[in-house]
């Protein structure tokens, strides 16, 4: 819709490894399988297991990684909040305040690892 976006994300290893925030969007992450560990600017870990979730408000810095024994399968819900002052768009920025797109090399610490398993395998 104009205000909500839902994505399914799968990680065999790694995650969104650079601290970043979404200035114009609240996020909710719900773990369907595996385990995710989320970190804020102080690097305090919050472990989110299967069938658990957490909400990250717009403007809060975070990063996460897959920390379980199986692929991390997430549902990510994004909900637009009030537009930024002056109509500026900088939806995703790094801890330095500069734009940081998801595919930016600064955002990756680990190359993908393919385990051969898929979500729903017994």
């Amino acid at each position: 819709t104009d205000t909500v976006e839902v994505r399914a994300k799968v990680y065999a290893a790694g995650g969104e490894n650079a601290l970043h925030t979404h200035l114009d969007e609240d996020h909710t992450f719900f773990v369907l399988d595996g385990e995710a560990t989320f970190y804020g600017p102080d690097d305090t870990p919050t472990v989110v297991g299967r069938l658990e979730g957490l909400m990250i408000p717009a403007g809060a810095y975070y990063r996460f990684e897959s920390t379980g024994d199986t692929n991390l399968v997430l549902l990510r819900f994004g909900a637009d909040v009030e537009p930024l002052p002056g109509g500026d768009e900088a939806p995703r920025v790094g801890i330095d305040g500069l734009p940081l797109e998801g595919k930016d090399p600064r955002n990756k610490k680990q190359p993908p690892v393919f385990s051969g398993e898929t979500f729903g395998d017994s």
Side-chain angles (χ1 to χ4, degrees), residues 4 16 46 52 54 65 73 118 120 122:
V4 176
E16 294 185 2
T46 298
E52 296 179 328
L54 84 162
E65 58 189 355
V73 182
T118 60
S122 298

Side-chain angles (χ1 to χ4, degrees), residues 34-111:
E35 177 185 275
T37 301
F38 287 79
Y39 303 90
D42 63 357
D43 229 22
T44 299
T46 298
V47 177
V48 182
R50 186 173 185 269
L51 303 180
E52 296 179 328
L54 84 162
M55 195 278 290
I56 299 173
Y61 282 91
Y62 73 97
R63 67 180 180 89
F64 73 86
E65 58 189 355
S66 175
T67 52
D69 295 334
T70 63
N71 288 346
L72 170 61
V73 182
L74 289 172
L75 282 181
R76 173 198 172 273
F77 301 86
D80 286 344
V81 296
E82 293 293 321
L84 297 174
D88 291 339
E89 282 209 26
R92 188 177 200 275
V93 297
I95 195 71
D96 58 6
L98 298 174
L100 181 66
E101 295 297 322
K103 294 182 180 179
D104 189 307
R106 294 174 299 154
N107 193 44
K108 305 297 178 198
K109 289 186 181 175
Q110 300 176 4

